[in-house]
Amino acid sequence: MEFTKRQQEIINTAIELIADKGIQELTIKNLSQKIGIAESAIYRHFKSKLDILLGILSLFRENKEHMNRQLTEMEATATDKLRHMLLKRFAYFAANRAVAAVIFSEELFRNDHRLSEQVYQIMQDNQQVIIGIITAGQQADEFRDDVSAKEMSFMITGALRLIVTQWRIAEYTFDLEQEGKRLWATIETLVKK
Amino acid sequence: MEFTKRQQEIINTAIELIADKGIQELTIKNLSQKIGIAESAIYRHFKSKLDILLGILSLFRENKEHMNRQLTEMEATATDKLRHMLLKRFAYFAANRAVAAVIFSEELFRNDHRLSEQVYQIMQDNQQVIIGIITAGQQADEFRDDVSAKEMSFMITGALRLIVTQWRIAEYTFDLEQEGKRLWATIETLVKK
Amino acid sequence: MEFTKRQQEIINTAIELIADKGIQELTIKNLSQKIGIAESAIYRHFKSKLDILLGILSLFRENKEHMNRQLTEMEATATDKLRHMLLKRFAYFAANRAVAAVIFSEELFRNDHRLSEQVYQIMQDNQQVIIGIITAGQQADEFRDDVSAKEMSFMITGALRLIVTQWRIAEYTFDLEQEGKRLWATIETLVKK
Amino acid sequence: MEFTKRQQEIINTAIELIADKGIQELTIKNLSQKIGIAESAIYRHFKSKLDILLGILSLFRENKEHMNRQLTEMEATATDKLRHMLLKRFAYFAANRAVAAVIFSEELFRNDHRLSEQVYQIMQDNQQVIIGIITAGQQADEFRDDVSAKEMSFMITGALRLIVTQWRIAEYTFDLEQEGKRLWATIETLVKK
DNA sequence: GATGAATGAGAATTCATTCAT
DNA sequence: AATGAATGAATTCTCATTCAT
């Protein structure tokens, strides 16, 4: 899971490429051109294009795990944690459009089992964190418990994904963090006891 | 918007192809082979591959408009309408996996403006219908009104999309209609007054 | 050499097509579309595309023979005949751009022996007529005779072709007849005794 | 405007191909086969087929500019210069049939603006050189001046082109240099005072 | 580490032509 | 006469990858 400077450069450039114009734009040619090296040079650093995609996912997962660890260790009410987590995520996507573009496009990763497995894991991990927070919130009597933590987290995840998707389709023409705050208000109203 | 028999056959085959193995599998060669005609024969029926994709969307839109019209004309409580609509949609996707695979993969349609425009319209139309039902429900005092109809419909759409996406990623290994009913229970609990 | 109405329509449309955008634009599809019939209908009237090209040439040759016969029968000085012929030809090309485009593009007819043979014949016929006029002019002491009639006619033909070619390349943006008159003045000065 | 070895090879092969059987024979397949590399290898050296055609023209233009520069610097009477130039050009075409076939077939370059622009420039450049020589000849009292230099150069260019064209149509069955000399005699007679 | 040249497989599309109706 | 459907061959071009240097 450790990447060299060049490997990171390649991965990041690949992410940008995908974010910009979709997976079809991620070709070795475009990639190498954007970096400024020869096509064949790419193969010094990654065995194949598939490995670059795996690299993207692994980088993303690492990042998310870091975020989640921070969150778990945080001392705060469940409400604060949940808000914190969602707003942080929106901020992250707003600052890293490319990642947003890549991570919610399961389609891109359908060709290979290793890829779809990774995407699935990332989704699961994420859900687990939210479920954890909500369960805690229910036990602390902050959140309603007539809906299971799992179902609740499902609704939240769905909304999160949809807002990011719409933001992408709208070509980033609205303020994601702003809309994210509005969404949080809704979610808060819905989950609080 | 009227398609000949052959055009419908091509569109349906294209949908199946995409659903099966993703957009990358949708080549004129695969398409013509699956139908059993020559590659060039495809071009007698569609000017280009792009037009086939537009055909898919137009077919889907037509279908959805039909569904929505039925719904609008229906005499029922907002709760019933909403349940009816969601369950119907799950049933439709369960029976038309391919369409589900295609319609929630905005990524596929990013290459061309005409395509993304269509996808956007379909999403909008859909949201409008749900908003309409919820507003009615709020006025009839069936649904809570501390959350706007728009926000609520947003949560619902997000959940709907997420469940279908997970079902696809899980390679249809769970019963979508079953899970859809469970989701409906959650939604009902959340929206009712 | 007798063509039906439809055949003539096809030939004329073919000429226009070539004149407009070059031989590459002469496809059965474009042809049938411009006429307003189905592609396959063309084959009712011509056995193959080659026969259409042959038709173009045959039509043109007929026309030219007619022009030449008129000229031969005309009672006038050689100078008048030559002027008449050249100006007439420019007028004809100005009015029939398409024909000009086709007839000076030997390239188009290189694929098939039957075609290039025809083109060669047309060129020869033409030269013969000019040679005839010049010889007469020399015998009548109107034209210089230190240059053979053949060489002189060669210079004239070359100039005629070049002016039409330039006119085509310039996309008909200058007045061919006007320039033709100027060219005639030059020729007259050069040939007269 | 500098070409690699391989690029020159491709351009030359393309010229040969066109000269042999016309532009229709210039396909990437034929080209690569004649060279002995894979089709896709061509694209390492030229972005597209259009660029190969542009390459042909640019190579030709370079060559011609070289010839013209030599001529301008030459110390000689206008008559000698003109003869020298024409005979040199015939010699060049006789030795480079392929180039002759290509360069006088404006038709071939009609598809693209960049191409026809180049062809037009080459024609213009050429004419300018001849006009220059003739003007000098008129001022030195070698050439008649009752016909403008421009008109005279036009006649000469027309004749030059026609002779080459006929030589091509005759499938190179006559001696171009021989005929060129005869043509020169005619031109000399016509232009001299 | 990096490059340039090459490759084979495959992509979308076009074209002239045929044939049953 | 004309049409609609189909075909096979060909065309330009792209792509991931390899290899010698």
Side-chain angles (χ1 to χ4, degrees), chain D residues 6 37-38 40-41 44-45:
Chain D
R6 202 43 132 192
I37 57 177
S40 45
R44 192 110 329 237
H45 304 282

Side-chain angles (χ1 to χ4, degrees), chain B residues 57-70:
Chain B
L57 291 177
S58 126
L59 206 69
F60 183 70
R61 199 170 174 185
E62 221 172 88
N63 185 299
K64 208 175 219 169
E65 270 162 16
H66 179 71
M67 247 157 110
N68 290 345
R69 234 172 305 127
Q70 269 194 317

Side-chain angles (χ1 to χ4, degrees), chain A residues 12-60:
Chain A
N12 287 327
T13 312
I15 290 174
E16 280 168 36
L17 231 27
I18 295 175
D20 254 35
K21 297 202 196 158
I23 194 83
Q24 264 113 332
E25 213 64 6
L26 178 63
T27 65
I28 300 295
K29 192 182 185 185
N30 287 348
L31 196 49
S32 56
Q33 268 178 2
K34 200 165 183 180
I35 296 176
I37 57 176
E39 287 178 58
S40 41
I42 298 283
Y43 290 89
R44 258 300 125 185
H45 305 283
F46 286 97
K47 219 179 93 263
S48 75
K49 191 180 165 182
L50 178 65
D51 290 271
I52 298 175
L53 287 169
L54 282 168
I56 294 176
L57 292 176
S58 123
L59 204 71
F60 185 71

Side-chain angles (χ1 to χ4, degrees), chain C residues 81-140:
Chain C
K81 270 193 177 176
L82 193 54
R83 186 188 59 237
H84 181 82
M85 184 205 146
L86 289 174
L87 299 189
K88 195 117 195 210
R89 202 149 285 177
F90 287 128
Y92 178 71
F93 285 139
N96 301 275
R97 292 175 178 189
V99 175
V102 171
I103 212 59
F104 287 161
S105 306
E106 298 81 14
E107 198 57 33
L108 311 189
F109 301 106
R110 263 179 73 180
N111 294 325
D112 190 272
H113 237 68
R114 287 188 281 160
L115 286 171
S116 46
E117 176 60 22
Q118 282 287 322
V119 171
Y120 184 68
Q121 278 309 319
I122 289 173
M123 255 170 100
Q124 283 310 89
D125 290 358
N126 223 31
Q127 204 110 328
Q128 280 313 318
V129 175
I130 304 187
I131 291 178
I133 298 175
I134 293 183
T135 306
Q138 288 175 328
Q139 283 165 355

Side-chain angles (χ1 to χ4, degrees), chain B residues 10 19 30 41-42 47-48 51 60 62 64 82 91 98 105 117 122 126 139 142 146 171-172 186 188:
Chain B
I10 291 172
N30 286 349
I42 299 284
K47 219 178 96 270
S48 74
D51 289 87
F60 183 70
E62 221 172 88
K64 208 175 219 169
L82 194 55
S105 306
E117 174 63 19
I122 290 173
N126 221 31
Q139 283 164 354
E142 287 174 61
D146 55 349
E171 288 177 334
Y172 316 110
T186 302
E188 191 180 14

Side-chain angles (χ1 to χ4, degrees), chain A residues 115-134:
Chain A
L115 285 172
S116 48
E117 176 62 21
Q118 282 286 323
V119 171
Y120 184 68
Q121 277 309 319
I122 289 172
M123 257 172 100
Q124 283 310 90
D125 291 357
N126 224 31
Q127 203 111 331
Q128 279 313 316
V129 175
I130 304 187
I131 291 179
I133 297 175
I134 292 184

Side-chain angles (χ1 to χ4, degrees), chain D residues 160-175:
Chain D
L160 173 83
R161 295 172 62 93
L162 181 53
I163 205 171
V164 176
T165 297
Q166 288 192 343
W167 178 60
R168 280 203 304 118
I169 291 180
E171 287 177 337
Y172 317 111
T173 48
F174 63 80
D175 183 334

